[in-house]
């Protein structure tokens, strides 16, 4: 009997099957991608474990995770202001409680706009180290730091924004990192900082080339570090 009107014969009632070679290639690509993803996750876990072990062994600090959508450096600083230095800045605790990465991005961008000719320890101007990937001009870079155009992916914080934050808030920033070896932390000081009259730094952690976190006094510790404010 003939097929009903508008209905095709059975051999053409579904899309043609992909060749086995093509299917195998797709499966191989997927398996490779999953393996690479798992290897990367193990590597990141290893770095995180190394950082936690260092902090637990040599300090009275612990990690506090923050935003992971491209604002982590700025959110880590905001976390420090809200949690460890709420009474140290204008407006006091009530104002500090509202600090997020947005406010830190604004403050850092404004400092960079005003201080592009700021001289680093080597005598070079800070704006001479602009990476064109972050902005073709200094003005564009500072707008990107502030995240003026929120339809674009956020510009990540870098060494320039750490220098800016240290000088903007007039506070050292200590960064604990996951890099191998003994040289695993650094401190950025504001200009004219006097180490003979130390003040507590912002404490950040850096998962090497990946993510910033906030570092706070260990909650389980019976004794806390006592240093100058």
């Amino acid at each position: 009997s003939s097929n009903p009107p508008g209905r095709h014969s059975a051999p053409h009632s579904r899309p043609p099957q992909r060749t086995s070679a093509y299917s195998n290639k797709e499966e191989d690509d997927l398996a490779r991608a999953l393996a690479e993803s798992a290897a990367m996750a193990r590597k990141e876990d290893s770095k995180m474990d190394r950082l936690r072990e260092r902090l637990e062994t040599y300090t009275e600090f612990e990690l506090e995770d923050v935003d992971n959508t491209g604002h982590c450096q700025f959110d880590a600083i905001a976390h420090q202001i809200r949690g460890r230095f709420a009474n140290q800045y204008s407006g006091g605790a009530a104002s500090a409680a509202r600090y997020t990465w947005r406010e830190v991005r604004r403050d850092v961008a404004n400092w960079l706009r005003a201080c592009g000719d700021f001289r680093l320890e080597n005598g070079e101007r800070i704006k001479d180290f602009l990476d064109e990937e972050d902005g073709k001009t200094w003005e564009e870079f500072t707008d990107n730091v502030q995240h003026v155009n929120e339809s674009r992916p956020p510009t990540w914080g870098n060494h320039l924004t750490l220098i800016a934050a240290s000088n903007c808030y007039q506070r050292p920033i200590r960064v604990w990192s996951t890099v191998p070896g003994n040289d695993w932390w650094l401190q950025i000081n504001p200009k004219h900082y006097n180490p003979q009259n130390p003040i507590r730094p912002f404490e950040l952690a850096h998962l090497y080339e990946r993510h910033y976190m906030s570092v706070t006094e260990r909650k389980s510790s019976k004794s806390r570090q006592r240093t100058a404010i």
Side-chain angles (χ1 to χ4, degrees):
S1 61
S2 61
N3 291 321
R7 184 177 297 175
H8 297 291
S9 60
H12 300 288
S13 62
R14 58 182 180 270
Q17 300 251 336
R18 290 174 175 169
T19 64
S20 59
Y22 186 81
S23 297
N24 289 340
K25 182 179 184 305
E26 277 193 326
E27 290 175 3
D28 289 344
D29 288 346
L30 177 59
R32 188 178 302 109
L34 290 174
E36 290 174 355
S37 177
M40 182 177 294
R42 286 193 298 272
K43 188 175 181 181
E44 297 304 316
D45 288 344
S46 174
K47 290 179 180 178
M48 187 76 78
D49 289 342
R50 180 193 301 160
L51 187 52
R52 285 198 178 100
E53 182 180 353
R54 285 170 167 175
L55 291 175
E56 184 174 344
T57 302
Y58 300 108
T59 77
E60 294 188 0
F61 295 123
E62 64 183 4
L63 295 173
E64 293 276 354
D65 207 358
V66 294
D67 177 274
N68 64 353
T69 61
H71 307 287
C72 57
Q73 185 191 103
F74 307 99
D75 201 42
I77 294 171
H79 186 271
Q80 291 285 302
I81 292 173
R82 292 194 309 269
R84 300 181 69 235
F85 299 97
N87 295 312
Q88 301 297 309
Y89 296 100
S90 60
S95 177
R98 297 191 294 270
Y99 249 71
T100 69
W101 59 260
R102 293 180 185 276
E103 286 70 34
V104 175
R105 277 188 176 275
R106 177 203 64 204
D107 293 346
V108 169
N110 285 338
W111 187 93
L112 289 166
R113 290 186 182 107
C115 301
D117 291 325
F118 176 83
R119 297 285 175 175
L120 305 176
E121 290 183 1
N122 62 4
E124 299 287 337
R125 299 178 305 173
I126 191 170
K127 68 181 180 182
D128 292 333
F129 290 87
L130 173 63
D131 187 332
E132 287 193 0
E133 289 187 2
D134 295 327
K136 292 184 173 61
T137 65
W138 190 249
E139 180 180 8
E140 182 180 339
F141 169 59
T142 57
D143 283 349
N144 289 342
V145 168
Q146 189 169 350
H147 200 41
V148 170
N149 184 355
E150 296 195 4
S151 65
R152 296 183 55 184
T155 295
W156 288 10
N158 57 23
H159 196 66
L160 300 186
T161 55
L162 284 176
I163 292 171
S166 176
N167 283 277
C168 171
Y169 297 114
Q170 283 297 294
R171 188 169 294 277
I173 298 177
R174 181 160 51 182
V175 182
W176 307 89
S177 79
T178 58
V179 296
N182 295 324
D183 191 19
W184 58 278
W185 67 270
L186 63 86
Q187 182 164 305
I188 297 169
N189 296 323
K191 197 166 187 177
H192 307 308
Y193 176 70
N194 181 6
Q196 301 303 316
N197 185 27
I199 61 175
R200 284 194 303 161
F202 289 147
E203 303 280 359
L204 307 185
H206 189 210
L207 192 59
Y208 189 54
E209 295 184 345
R210 185 91 179 163
H211 184 52
Y212 280 91
M213 290 166 283
S214 181
V215 174
T216 60
E217 285 78 7
R218 198 176 304 147
K219 297 179 182 64
S220 60
S221 177
K222 293 181 181 179
S223 62
R224 298 293 177 90
Q225 286 184 332
R226 287 181 172 86
T227 57
I229 62 172

